Structure formats: C-alpha cells, structure tokens
Amino acid sequence: MAMPHLQQPDPAHPVPQNDTLPEDDRDQPLYKTRDKVYPKRVSGYFRNLKWFALITLLAIYWIVPWLRWDRGASAPDQAVLIDMDMGRAYFFFIEIWPQEVYYITGLLILAAIGLFLATSLFGRIWCGYGCPQTVWTDLFMLVERHIQGDRNARMRLDKSPWTFEKIWKIGATHLSWLVIAAATGGAFVLYFNDAPTVMVDIFTGEASLGVYVTIAFLTFSTYLLAGWAREQVCTYMCPWPRFQSAMLDDESMIVTYEGWRGEPRGPIKRKNLVRGEVPEVGHCVDCYACFNVCPTGIDIRDGLQMECIGCGLCIDACNEMMDKVGFPRDLVRFDSVQNSQLRAHGKATKIRIVRPRTIFYSVILVLVASVMAFGLLNRTTLEVNVLRDRNPIFVTLSDGDVRNGYTLKVLNKEQAEKTYILQIEGLDASDFQVIGLTPNQDGTFSLDVAPDRVGSFRVFVAANPETLSSESTPFEFSVTDPEDNVRETYDTVFAGPK
C-alpha cells in the first residue's frame, strides 16, 4: 500500500512557533482569572425579600429534623426521617417503602416542572431566593460584612499588608464560615438518623464512621462553595443558566434596565447643566450602584446575562440613588421585556400570567400532582410477593404427587400487628403447607406479621399430576386482612412434568 504523501512546510511561510508569536499573544492567559466580587450592602424591598427567604429556609433546614410525629410504638417519632437501615422514608403522615420509590420520582418531576413554571413567570426567582448556593452564600457574606466591613473596607483589607488586624479579621471570618459549614453538615445527617440520639453520639464520639465522613464532606463543600467559589458556581458549574432562555419569553418577569429612559447616561453634574446643546438627558447617573451590589459582579445595564440570578438587589440600589437625585424610581425594575418596550413608545403595559407556556407547565404540574395524590390516597396497606423455587423446579413425592416450593413475603404497612388469612385459588392441590404453622379447619393459614414489617413464609404446594392442565398451571395466592377486608392476590404457576 502506498503511503500518503505528507505535505512539507513551505520554507517561505514557516509555521509560527510560540517564541515567534507576537508578544501580546504570548502573554495572553488561556483562562480568565477571577475578578473577586465585593457586593455592597443595600436596603430595600428585594433585600428584605431575600432576608425573609434566607431566615425561613435556614430555619426549615435546621428545625425540621427536631419535629416529632407520633406513629405508634413500632415506628420512629421523627416527623421527617429517611431510615436507611429499615428502608423507609417518613414525611409526617406519609411513609414511603423501597418499592414505592416512584413517589420520590414524582416529587422530582413536580420540582422540575414547578421550576420551569416559576422561571417562565418570574425569571430566575429560584436562583435569586431559593437555591442553597444563594442562601448559604448570602449567609457567608453577612458574616464577612459584619467582621470585615462593607465593600470598600473589604477591598482595602485585601490590598493591605498582613497586619494583626488583617489576620484576626480574616481568621475570624473563615472560622465563622467553618462553624456554619459544620452546622450545615451536622443538620444534614439528622435527616437520616434520630436527631436527639445522633447529636449526642456525635459529641461523645459514638456516632458511626459514615456520620463523621458525611459531616466532614459537607463541611468542606459548604465552606468551599459558599466561602470561596460563590458566584463561580452560578456562572461555571450550574447548568441552569445555560438553558434558562428556553423557559423565558418576552412576557416573563425579569430584572431589566429601562435603557430608553436611562440613556444617555452620565454624571449628575452634567445632568444639572441641561441647556439647549443637550436636548435629551438620561436618568442613569452612571454611579455603578447597581454593579456594586450585584452578588455575581455584573452590570444589569448590559442587558439580561447568564450570570444574573434575578435577585433584584440592583433595583434597590438604583431606587435609592433615584431618590437622592430626584428622578423617578424603577429605572431598573422587575418587569417583562415587552412592557419595557411598550413604555418606551408611551403605550399601556400589562402583565399576562396566563399564556400558552404557563398553561402547558401548569397542566403537567396538575396532572402529575393528581396522579401522585390518587396513588397516595388509594394505596393499599398490604402487599404480597411470591418467589417460586427454581432449583429444583418441582419434586416428585413417594405417592406420585408433584410438589412446588414458594417463598411468600407479606408486607404489613400498618403500625399495628396484623393476622392475615392465606389460601390458594385456581389449583386442585392435594397438599398445602406453611412451614412452622398449623392449618385452620378450612385449610387456610393464619399469618402473623409485625407492624411495619415484612413477614417471610416458606410454602409448599402439592398436586396430582393428572389434575394439572399443563407443565405450568396458573393459580394464585390470596392473602386477606379480615379486620379491614383488604385482599391481595399474587399470580404464579405450578410446575409439573411434561
């Protein structure tokens, strides 16, 4: 086979090497270094909303594991608990078994569709107020601001040499962050263990290795993400900003800058010198107040950006400045792009919540919620599973009958001990046995199952080969709760000779 001809470099046009590139290109870094963000303190309507969300969500996270819920003596009394040892999830009056994991799937679907609906209506309201990254970063910034001071003070501190004041302020800040991070990890494990018990075990050194490893991991990740990464999580790590535009339309409520009113921007001194040579003057005084308070370090005047989390702090900052200079508020406002364009042309604005996109999400949300509610309200407190012996498939007895073996599992989902009645239907059985139990007078068996447990029973069924319709004769096990008149059946087969 002929080798492909490799084109030789043209001596008149050599391939540039790194040392022959222009100096400006050689000095260009491959990755942009982080510009540290120093958000400034601001007061106002949206800042108060964020404080309310922060306090409410953190209170829920740290208080819920301590709530009690009486389920009887046989079940844990913690209101919200994911019991990995017993394979149960408890949410107040709801108990989820491992085979009911589809309810968890339903909750995830509801959360996703709910997020799509909220985004189509109010933009990135989840990112700005409910996301754990936002909530914990807000808390860490509050601590940092309390110890180190506001924006300008923190910038001066970072640029100053290492003095005793700088060491203790930065040290106290990071120590406080670690305490909060440890409390975050500690609270997380409470959802998987009895809260009072595991809390004592943690401080006495008697908790399991898994508990300590989980706390250590969450302490480190919380400290890293909320203390160091911060806005970089939203910008580079989180996938949501990259497809949020698919959820938005021109009528979605977002944080927007009224460029038609703010431009041309300029210092307030220029605006006070309005004469004939300046026919139009914008309301933006170019003070950068909106930029200085932004937790992700963007300028909202550049339009909607991927980094914007829709928190609205820039609105508070701009309104504060507009009040100072005597201009109307809401130069930066929470509104739709369509309304901004209507105002620019002097037309009336409107907020339309009901539109095809929101109807579509709402219908899916209602359908999924209805299916889950129907399933929860109508689910049975009894389940039956049967596993037929595969080796051997059947055994021929001395009298010529054929015997099959089965393992019967009865799930009692109630918080009380139950006695169930077991019988077989659809098979002319010559013998029916449950190992360790005595049959009732009518040939059935009484199965006692502890509360909130699975009862396992070994069952043998024998039949005359001549009564079998085929080598696999279908029949069913029937388990009945005589107290509640609940009946569950399980279809299986009886294997015999060909």
Side-chain angles (χ1 to χ4, degrees):
M1 180 183 297
M3 295 297 291
H5 175 69
L6 298 179
Q7 184 177 1
Q8 298 298 321
D10 186 356
H13 300 87
V15 178
Q17 302 298 321
N18 185 57
D19 56 355
T20 64
L21 292 174
E23 184 176 351
D24 292 342
D25 291 344
R26 278 183 280 148
D27 295 337
Q28 187 72 22
L30 293 176
Y31 301 98
K32 182 181 182 298
T33 57
R34 180 198 180 197
D35 295 326
K36 187 174 181 180
V37 179
Y38 298 88
K40 185 179 180 180
R41 184 182 180 275
V42 66
S43 300
Y45 175 77
F46 291 95
R47 178 65 267 183
N48 291 336
L49 282 181
K50 282 180 68 67
W51 286 137
F52 176 79
L54 182 146
I55 293 171
T56 302
L57 294 175
L58 289 180
I60 292 174
Y61 178 72
W62 273 309
I63 292 176
V64 164
W66 299 94
L67 300 179
R68 302 292 101 181
W69 190 272
D70 186 13
R71 301 184 181 90
S74 61
D77 63 350
Q78 187 162 310
V80 178
L81 174 67
I82 301 176
D83 192 342
M84 302 299 290
D85 293 334
M86 296 302 301
R88 309 283 192 280
Y90 300 95
F91 300 94
F92 294 93
F93 61 90
I94 299 175
E95 178 182 355
I96 305 297
W97 285 57
Q99 61 270 28
E100 297 175 328
V101 70
Y102 48 83
Y103 287 117
I104 306 298
T105 304
L107 287 176
L108 294 177
I109 295 175
L110 285 177
I113 301 301
L115 181 58
F116 297 162
L117 177 60
T119 302
S120 65
L121 289 173
F122 307 111
R124 292 179 65 183
I125 187 173
W126 161 257
C127 301
Y129 294 88
C131 177
Q133 175 65 22
T134 297
V135 173
W136 263 265
T137 298
D138 230 7
L139 179 60
F140 275 45
M141 286 182 177
L142 175 64
V143 171
E144 182 182 50
R145 189 180 297 115
H146 178 73
I147 297 174
Q148 299 182 16
D150 208 355
R151 171 183 166 87
N152 292 337
R154 297 199 305 276
M155 294 175 69
R156 288 194 301 268
L157 185 67
D158 280 356
K159 295 178 181 179
S160 66
W162 285 96
T163 61
F164 175 77
E165 179 185 9
K166 182 174 182 177
I167 292 174
W168 85 258
K169 283 186 175 181
I170 293 181
T173 300
H174 286 266
L175 180 61
S176 301
W177 288 351
L178 285 171
V179 171
I180 296 173
T184 301
F188 184 81
V189 300
L190 301 183
Y191 286 89
F192 297 85
N193 303 270
D194 181 65
T197 303
V198 76
M199 184 61 69
V200 173
D201 292 344
I202 289 172
F203 285 100
T204 58
E206 297 180 359
S208 66
L209 177 63
V211 169
Y212 289 114
V213 170
T214 302
I215 294 176
F217 174 78
L218 289 175
T219 298
F220 172 75
S221 60
T222 304
Y223 172 74
L224 176 66
L225 297 181
W228 290 90
R230 293 190 175 178
E231 78 285 348
Q232 295 181 99
V233 174
C234 306
T235 303
Y236 301 112
M237 297 174 62
C238 180
W240 182 242
R242 281 151 179 82
F243 56 84
Q244 61 162 330
S245 58
M247 312 296 163
L248 300 175
D249 54 36
D250 287 344
E251 295 183 271
S252 300
M253 304 289 287
I254 61 174
V255 178
T256 180
Y257 167 65
E258 304 272 63
W260 62 269
R261 175 185 147 196
E263 303 300 326
R265 69 185 74 161
I268 187 64
K269 291 181 179 180
R270 180 181 65 79
K271 297 182 184 303
N272 289 336
L273 300 176
V274 178
R275 295 184 178 89
E277 66 273 11
V278 186
E280 293 184 1
V281 177
H283 287 181
C284 178
V285 298
D286 209 17
C287 63
Y288 284 93
C290 56
F291 170 79
N292 291 336
V293 301
C294 180
T296 59
I298 66 168
D299 192 334
I300 192 61
R301 297 174 298 178
D302 295 334
L304 181 62
Q305 299 156 68
M306 182 184 68
E307 296 86 353
C308 178
I309 61 174
C311 62
L313 296 184
C314 53
I315 300 177
D316 290 337
C318 186
N319 284 341
E320 185 177 339
M321 180 56 64
M322 292 296 101
D323 291 342
K324 290 180 179 179
V325 300
F327 289 149
R329 293 183 134 215
D330 294 330
L331 177 60
V332 180
R333 64 194 302 151
F334 191 71
D335 206 345
S336 66
V337 173
Q338 183 183 80
N339 282 346
S340 180
Q341 294 172 348
L342 290 173
R343 274 189 298 272
H345 293 86
K347 298 180 180 180
T349 61
K350 60 180 179 180
I351 298 176
R352 194 162 67 104
I353 299 297
V354 180
R355 51 189 194 268
R357 183 187 298 269
T358 58
I359 292 175
F360 174 74
Y361 292 142
S362 299
V363 169
I364 296 179
L365 198 65
V366 171
L367 286 177
V368 175
S370 299
V371 170
M372 289 187 60
F374 180 82
L376 284 172
L377 293 175
N378 293 277
R379 66 177 182 169
T380 180
T381 57
L382 167 65
E383 285 191 18
V384 178
N385 289 286
V386 177
L387 179 64
R388 187 171 64 86
D389 291 354
R390 300 286 181 174
N391 187 20
I393 297 178
F394 63 87
V395 174
T396 302
L397 304 179
S398 58
D399 60 359
D401 287 352
V402 177
R403 188 181 72 183
N404 283 197
Y406 304 87
T407 299
L408 173 72
K409 292 186 180 294
V410 180
L411 286 70
N412 175 18
K413 296 182 180 180
E414 296 192 33
Q415 301 300 329
E417 184 175 355
K418 285 288 186 178
T419 299
Y420 302 104
I421 303 301
L422 171 66
Q423 60 185 359
I424 57 176
E425 299 177 357
L427 180 69
D428 185 12
S430 60
D431 189 29
F432 176 33
Q433 301 179 27
V434 178
I435 302 303
L437 298 180
T438 302
N440 300 322
Q441 291 183 353
D442 57 358
T444 62
F445 285 87
S446 297
L447 309 179
D448 295 328
V449 182
D452 197 31
R453 292 293 185 271
V454 179
S456 183
F457 304 92
R458 188 71 177 139
V459 180
F460 288 107
V461 179
N464 190 322
E466 297 180 359
T467 63
L468 302 178
S469 59
S470 66
E471 61 180 1
S472 293
T473 303
F475 76 104
E476 66 180 23
F477 285 95
S478 173
V479 179
T480 306
D481 179 3
E483 292 184 7
D484 301 330
N485 198 27
V486 176
R487 179 174 178 268
E488 286 290 322
T489 61
Y490 193 96
D491 295 329
T492 185
V493 296
F494 185 91
K498 295 181 181 180

